[in-house]
């Protein structure tokens, strides 16, 4: 008996250990009922996945019902955003809509529309699209879709997209109101291209202008088509407007750079902890070998826009005009997951040819990172170039002797401040209340036949003026709740007239009408043209070292 008593504690201890091990094993194979975290020692987890365990435990035991998929989405999104501001998670539902602008097409009826006074108004049917083919015209009102009223129902842009987008080959029936008459149309949906080159035209006899909205799948081919037309028109200088362009595909920026740089010149290189250095160099295409190049940027020009700008600047191939760019130098790789969702994870940094990374600091948090643009307004950087102080450690030199900086975006060779002249509270109320655009829309809608019969975009720019219409506009603005302010109006009269004229042109001829009018008074465009016309100033901006050597005192 005494010997048995000695072994009882030992047997009990062994039983506890066996029970513990069995408990761990059962817990791993029987769901989440047994608070699993208490059964595992930290750092000794084997195939244990804490995220799965916690989400499963919440799903099983939480006091209220939980939408598990939403919980997973939010958890993964938070996890990625903690890494850097540009890594993120995309649910399956969001992925298609996010990819459309970059993939370059969607399926629908092929119109640009506005919602005006609670009615869907066709701004323009896209050329060659399904709506144009059946006879839909600019100014038409869609009042019914599949016999359901859509006018006066509080319809939103999202509602319109749900109704009108659809699979290629499917049909949708719409009722149109035109000049107080109604017409029924059956439209067969088709693939609709999303253009990334918004407009291309000759701004004067020597200078072509191309506005690129984004770097997408079709951007390179659109750019080449535009350049071909401009060269045939006698282009000697090319302005590439990247203001507001948030980037897109690296490949598109590389291919466009290749059209401008000489064979063998570096365009960009990428490198990451798990990704070896990959260098992109110009090949032998260079269709723009002889043209003077100017690239326009601002604080919204990011990513692929900065790759193209950096390649032009670092190779002393052209001038960069405007204000400091956004500062995004991180490369994301998209990975698809079995449920149809995707992650875009930062896997590398990109570097301009001189070796500079232009990524802004982000270690102090995403919120501060995004607020940095507002800080540029507060510290007057938008008005004065010397308000930006880069440390010497981020200073680089191009082969031509230009000083360039890393660590915070592309800084232009020619700085042009934000245009704050002729501003007033009166003008701001007209702009932000949508009153300028609405009046212009109504005017264009009412006079569409007259405008298209008498003008084309070029003659409209040269011959149409807003004069007598201003009194009508002032009255309209008062009806919309903006009281007339004589001083404010006199101070901003020319800007009001310009906006009205440009918006009328946009509603009649789209971008082809808008940009020629708008660019005539754009201070960045005007400064760029001035530099391009002054060959000495142009060469001094591109190659300052060579200019110094050519001055009389240095010969």
């Amino acid at each position: 008996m005494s010997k048995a008593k000695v072994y009882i504690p030992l047997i009990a201890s062994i039983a506890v250990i066996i029970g513990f091990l069995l408990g761990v094993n059962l817990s791993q194979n029987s769901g989440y009922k047994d608070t699993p975290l208490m059964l595992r020692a930290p750092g000794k987890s084997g195939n244990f996945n804490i995220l799965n365990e916690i989400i499963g435990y919440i799903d099983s035991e939480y006091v209220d019902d939980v939408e598990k998929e939403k919980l997973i989405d939010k958890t993964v999104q938070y996890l990625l955003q903690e890494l850097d501001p540009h890594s993120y998670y995309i649910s399956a539902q969001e992925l298609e809509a996010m990819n459309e602008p970059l993939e370059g097409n969607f399926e629908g009826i092929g119109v640009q529309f506005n919602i005006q006074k609670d009615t869907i108004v066709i701004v323009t049917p896209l050329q060659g699209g399904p709506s144009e083919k059946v006879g839909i015209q600019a100014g038409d009102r869609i009042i019914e879709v599949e016999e359901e009223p859509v006018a006066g129902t509080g319809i939103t842009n999202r509602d319109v997209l749900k109704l009108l987008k659809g699979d290629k080959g499917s049909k949708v029936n719409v009722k149109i109101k035109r000049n107080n008459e109604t017409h029924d149309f059956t439209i067969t949906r088709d693939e609709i291209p999303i253009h990334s080159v918004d407009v291309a035209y000759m701004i004067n006899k020597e200078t072509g202008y191309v506005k690129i909205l984004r770097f997408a799948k079709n951007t390179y081919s659109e750019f080449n088509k535009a350049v071909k037309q401009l060269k045939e028109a006698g282009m000697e200088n090319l302005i590439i407007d990247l203001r507001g362009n948030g980037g897109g595909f690296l490949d598109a920026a590389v291919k466009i750079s290749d059209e401008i740089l000489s064979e063998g010149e570096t365009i960009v290189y990428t490198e990451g902890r798990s990704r070896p250095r990959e260098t992109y160099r110009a090949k032998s295409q260079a269709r723009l070998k002889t043209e003077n190049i100017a690239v326009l940027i601002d604080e919204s020009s990011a990513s692929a826009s900065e790759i193209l700008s950096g390649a032009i600047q670092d190779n002393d191939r052209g001038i960069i005009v405007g204000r400091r760019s956004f500062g995004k130098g991180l490369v994301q790789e998209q990975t698809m997951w079995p449920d149809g969702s995707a992650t875009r994870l930062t896997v590398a940094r990109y570097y301009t040819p001189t070796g500079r990374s232009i990524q802004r600091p982000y270690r102090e948090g995403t919120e501060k990172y995004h607020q940095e643009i507002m800080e540029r307004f507060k510290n007057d950087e938008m008005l004065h170039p010397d308000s930006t102080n880069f440390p010497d450690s981020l200073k680089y030199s191009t082969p031509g002797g230009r000083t360039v900086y890393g660590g915070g975006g592309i800084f232009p060779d020619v700085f042009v401040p934000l245009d704050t002249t002729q501003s007033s509270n009166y003008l701001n109320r007209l702009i932000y209340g949508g009153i300028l655009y609405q009046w212009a829309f109504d005017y264009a809608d009412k006079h569409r036949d007259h405008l298209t019969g008498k003008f084309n975009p070029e003659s409209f720019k040269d011959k149409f003026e807003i004069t007598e219409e201003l009194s009508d506009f002032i009255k309209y603005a008062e009806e919309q709740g903006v009281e007339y302010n004589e001083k404010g109006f006199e101070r901003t009269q020319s800007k009001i007239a310009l906006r009205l004229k440009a918006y009328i042109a946009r509603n009649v001829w789209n971008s082809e009408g808008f940009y020629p009018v708008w660019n005539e008074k754009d201070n960045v465009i005007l400064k760029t043209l001035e530099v391009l016309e002054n060959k000495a100033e142009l060469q001094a901006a591109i190659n300052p070292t060579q200019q110094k050597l050519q001055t009389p005192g240095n010969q």
Side-chain angles (χ1 to χ4, degrees):
M1 289 291 294
S2 60
K3 286 184 180 180
K5 288 179 181 179
V6 171
Y7 288 110
I8 286 174
L10 179 60
I11 293 168
S13 298
I14 293 171
V16 169
I17 293 170
I18 292 171
F20 176 77
L21 294 174
L22 285 172
V24 170
N25 188 56
L26 288 170
S27 176
Q28 287 177 337
N29 293 285
S30 63
Y32 300 94
K33 291 291 182 183
D34 301 323
T35 59
L37 294 181
M38 300 183 68
L39 302 178
R40 291 165 175 77
K44 308 251 181 164
S45 56
N47 64 356
F48 169 63
N49 185 320
I50 191 169
L51 287 177
N52 284 343
E53 292 281 339
I54 291 176
I55 290 170
Y57 180 49
I58 292 170
D59 186 40
S60 175
E61 301 296 336
Y62 188 64
V63 62
D64 296 319
D65 289 337
V66 174
E67 292 187 57
K68 189 175 178 181
E69 296 305 317
K70 281 189 176 180
L71 187 62
I72 292 171
D73 288 354
K74 288 182 178 179
T75 302
V76 177
Q77 185 67 277
Y78 178 80
L79 174 68
L80 290 172
Q81 287 181 343
E82 282 294 292
L83 298 175
D84 67 75
H86 300 293
S87 290
Y88 55 97
Y89 169 80
I90 315 160
S91 68
Q93 292 77 16
E94 297 171 325
L95 185 61
E96 183 178 355
M98 287 191 71
N99 276 341
E100 270 181 5
L102 295 181
E103 291 298 329
N105 59 70
F106 66 96
E107 293 174 353
I109 69 168
V111 295
Q112 288 188 348
F113 69 91
N114 277 331
I115 296 178
Q116 300 287 341
K117 299 176 183 177
D118 209 17
T119 303
I120 306 166
V121 181
I122 305 301
V123 175
T124 182
L126 300 183
Q127 188 174 1
S131 291
E132 186 192 53
K133 289 176 181 176
V134 299
I136 301 292
Q137 298 177 10
D140 286 350
R141 272 79 169 155
I142 300 179
I143 57 174
E144 288 183 11
V145 178
E146 299 296 352
E147 299 184 353
E148 290 293 325
V150 294
T153 60
I155 196 164
T156 65
N157 286 318
R158 181 172 291 184
D159 296 331
V160 176
L161 293 176
K162 285 180 180 179
L163 289 168
L164 301 183
K165 287 175 67 176
D167 294 337
K168 179 180 179 179
S170 63
K171 298 181 185 297
V172 60
N173 298 301
V174 300
K175 186 181 288 292
I176 294 292
K177 185 176 182 181
R178 180 189 301 161
N179 298 327
N180 295 319
E181 296 180 355
T182 60
H183 305 269
D184 293 311
F185 293 93
T186 298
I187 308 170
T188 303
R189 297 182 178 99
D190 203 347
E191 190 172 277
I192 309 300
I194 299 176
H195 295 293
S196 51
V197 172
D198 200 18
V199 72
Y201 73 101
M202 291 297 291
I203 210 164
N204 59 34
K205 290 182 180 180
E206 297 85 26
T207 306
Y209 172 88
V210 176
K211 174 72 173 178
I212 303 178
L213 297 176
R214 64 186 69 84
F215 288 89
K217 191 185 227 178
N218 54 353
T219 304
Y220 174 63
S221 60
E222 289 181 31
F223 178 80
N224 272 347
K225 181 180 178 182
V227 164
K228 184 174 183 290
Q229 293 172 346
L230 295 175
K231 284 173 75 76
E232 289 172 353
M235 179 179 68
E236 297 176 11
N237 310 313
L238 173 61
I239 298 173
I240 304 173
D241 193 344
L242 302 181
R243 290 175 294 175
N245 185 322
F249 290 147
L250 168 71
D251 186 56
V254 167
K255 286 182 175 179
I256 291 175
S257 301
D258 195 4
E259 294 293 339
I260 300 169
L261 300 178
S262 298
E263 184 175 4
E265 289 184 317
T266 298
I267 297 170
V268 67
Y269 67 89
T270 62
E271 193 170 16
R273 180 177 62 87
S274 300
R275 306 298 164 99
R277 176 167 171 167
E278 183 174 4
T279 301
Y280 298 82
R281 299 186 188 280
K283 299 174 184 176
S284 57
Q285 304 190 89
R287 293 180 178 91
L288 293 163
K289 284 182 180 178
T290 59
E291 287 77 8
N292 297 311
I293 305 295
V295 179
L296 313 187
I297 60 172
D298 64 10
E299 54 281 350
S300 298
S301 306
S303 188
S305 292
E306 295 170 304
I307 289 173
L308 176 55
S309 304
I312 300 299
Q313 190 176 53
D314 283 17
N315 286 292
D316 298 309
R317 180 60 184 87
I319 55 168
I320 311 300
V321 185
R323 297 184 297 277
R324 179 162 64 104
S325 65
F326 183 86
K328 179 184 180 294
L330 302 177
V331 181
Q332 283 72 51
E333 180 178 81
Q334 180 166 304
T335 301
M336 297 295 301
W337 300 103
D339 66 347
S341 65
T343 53
R344 289 180 182 170
L345 182 69
T346 297
V347 296
R349 286 181 172 82
Y350 72 73
Y351 299 86
T352 67
T354 57
R356 54 186 170 134
S357 168
I358 55 158
Q359 175 62 46
R360 287 191 281 121
Y362 55 84
R363 296 302 182 190
E364 294 184 24
T366 300
E367 185 176 351
K368 188 166 184 178
Y369 177 80
H370 290 297
Q371 287 178 346
E372 192 267 349
I373 299 296
M374 293 305 299
E375 291 299 317
R376 300 188 195 183
F377 285 93
K378 291 178 183 178
N379 66 19
D380 284 340
E381 182 185 329
M382 300 300 187
L383 303 176
H384 307 289
D386 55 0
S387 62
T388 304
N389 295 309
F390 291 107
D392 287 342
S393 61
L394 299 176
K395 188 183 292 185
Y396 298 77
S397 290
T398 70
R402 276 192 281 191
T403 298
V404 293
Y405 296 91
I410 299 291
F411 197 85
D413 303 304
V414 180
F415 178 85
V416 182
L418 189 68
D419 186 6
T420 58
T421 60
Q422 298 180 309
S423 61
S424 70
N425 289 331
Y426 180 66
L427 176 60
N428 289 338
R429 292 188 66 191
L430 295 173
I431 293 172
Y432 299 122
I435 293 166
L436 284 160
Y437 190 86
Q438 183 63 55
W439 185 90
F441 176 87
D442 291 342
Y443 184 93
D445 199 43
K446 184 178 179 180
H447 300 89
R448 190 180 302 277
D449 290 342
H450 168 72
L451 291 170
T452 54
K454 185 175 182 180
F455 301 106
N456 58 32
E458 185 176 355
S459 61
F460 179 85
K461 173 180 73 72
D462 295 335
K463 297 178 181 178
F464 182 88
E465 294 299 334
I466 297 286
T467 52
E468 297 174 1
E469 294 85 358
L470 284 173
S471 57
D472 177 58
F473 171 74
I474 290 169
K475 183 179 178 181
Y476 173 81
E478 287 183 318
E479 292 170 354
Q480 304 304 309
V482 179
E483 186 179 348
Y484 176 65
N485 181 303
E486 185 176 358
K487 286 185 178 179
F489 176 76
E490 288 178 356
R491 179 177 170 83
T492 58
Q493 179 176 344
S494 62
K495 278 199 170 184
I496 291 171
L498 173 67
R499 284 180 177 270
L500 292 176
K501 180 177 177 178
Y503 292 157
I504 291 170
R506 169 162 272 169
N507 280 294
V508 176
W509 295 285
N510 211 344
S511 296
E512 188 182 353
F514 174 80
Y515 283 105
V517 174
W518 188 261
N519 286 344
E520 272 205 317
K521 303 295 183 181
D522 185 319
N523 63 335
V524 179
I525 295 284
L526 294 175
K527 180 61 180 177
T528 304
L529 291 172
E530 179 187 314
V531 175
L532 289 172
E533 289 167 10
N534 186 332
K535 302 304 181 185
E537 185 178 357
L538 177 63
Q539 288 307 311
I542 294 175
N543 199 328
T545 301
Q546 185 177 356
Q547 281 298 113
K548 288 177 183 178
L549 292 174
Q550 290 176 350
T551 58
N554 289 312
Q555 286 183 349

